[in-house]
Amino acid sequence: MLELVFATNNAHKLEEVQAIVGDKFVLKSLSDIGCQDDIPETGVTFKENAKQKTDYLVDKYGLYCFGDDSGLEIDALNGEPGVYSARYSGTRDMEKNIEFVLEKLGDNPNRTARFKTVISLYFNEQQHFFEGAIEGKIIKERKGEKGFGYDPIFIPNGYDMTFAEMSSEEKNAISHRAIAVSKLAEFLKNY
Ligand code: ITT
């Protein structure tokens, strides 16, 4: 079994990714390795932020690791919240962040959006990136209780329910993170 640090403290993400990667890899979170640091995410792209996370862990712990940065891009908001998804309203409170998005969009008929993920992997002394995206639209009111983040207001194209109405299996089969993580898993399967 291969141990890899996943540069996150988000339990939902760890669960989702472990399910996709399967038993061959044991994923450790930041708290599992005793890292309490607030790793800087100061980039203006998902890729820069993802790489900042793995650079930090490699410099400080010398461990093989991966980190992702994800977010929601809404066309009518010029790609926002983007890298600011976790704190769009100025807080990490997702109720407020969703409210802020819905207020900004108002009755704008252009509701197209996508979730994106970029994964940075540091493995065998090499740097790799894997990307995933899923297109969809933002609805006007929250629907569903599952998932996390902006899931209650995002309906992926080809579906009539939000990510928050899907089981984790359904979401994991199509999500931005699933796409990026499958690319990561595909890459790692030879090791
Ligand atoms: P870590 O930095 O600890 O990994 P995070 O919550 O900040 O956790 P990301 O940087 O990957 O996670 O994502 C930033 C925000 O984008 C996240 O807080 C959510 O609000 C939103 N987001 C990302 N992936 C999402 C998903 O699958 N469903 C809903 N919202 C998501």
Side-chain angles (χ1 to χ4, degrees):
M1 271 193 288
L2 180 71
E3 272 191 15
L4 267 182
V5 179
F6 182 9
T8 186
N9 276 321
N10 182 324
H12 291 282
K13 279 169 57 171
L14 193 81
E15 246 174 65
E16 281 190 11
V17 174
Q18 182 73 71
I20 296 161
V21 164
D23 294 346
K24 188 171 166 191
F25 308 100
V26 178
L27 303 187
K28 305 260 177 188
S29 69
L30 291 174
S31 53
D32 290 338
I33 62 160
C35 177
Q36 319 272 317
D37 308 352
D38 198 7
I39 301 177
E41 280 181 60
T42 54
V44 295
T45 63
F46 297 126
K47 190 173 180 178
E48 281 171 16
N49 280 340
K51 184 164 184 297
Q52 265 184 330
K53 293 183 190 181
T54 50
D55 283 352
Y56 187 91
L57 292 182
V58 172
D59 289 349
K60 186 159 176 185
Y61 300 94
L63 293 169
Y64 290 153
C65 55
F66 65 96
D68 77 329
D69 195 37
S70 314
L72 178 64
E73 290 181 350
I74 301 174
D75 292 325
L77 303 180
N78 299 315
E80 287 185 2
V83 291
Y84 309 108
S85 292
R87 296 172 172 271
Y88 195 40
S89 67
T91 80
R92 287 191 81 98
D93 181 339
M94 282 314 298
E95 285 298 309
K96 294 199 171 115
N97 289 330
I98 287 179
E99 207 50 54
F100 195 52
V101 161
L102 293 179
E103 264 171 41
K104 281 205 154 195
L105 270 179
D107 285 331
N108 194 324
N110 178 9
R111 318 290 296 190
T112 55
R114 69 205 55 75
F115 275 117
K116 265 193 192 166
T117 295
V118 178
I119 294 174
S120 164
L121 168 73
Y122 185 77
F123 188 71
N124 275 355
E125 281 58 54
Q126 283 183 345
Q127 173 72 57
H128 302 272
F129 294 100
F130 307 93
E131 301 190 5
I134 179 156
E135 300 286 330
K137 65 171 189 237
I138 303 298
I139 54 170
K140 289 186 175 167
E141 282 171 8
R142 298 168 176 75
K143 276 172 78 185
E145 305 290 331
K146 303 189 190 88
F148 71 100
Y150 297 94
D151 282 347
I153 56 168
F154 182 82
I155 296 187
N157 286 349
Y159 291 79
D160 57 8
M161 56 176 153
T162 66
F163 264 174
E165 293 176 295
M166 294 182 182
S167 64
S168 59
E169 290 76 18
E170 280 175 292
K171 182 184 167 188
N172 278 348
I174 59 169
S175 79
H176 51 308
R177 188 167 301 101
I179 294 166
V181 172
S182 328
K183 291 178 185 172
L184 169 75
E186 183 65 29
F187 173 84
L188 286 172
K189 86 174 181 209
N190 300 317
Y191 292 95

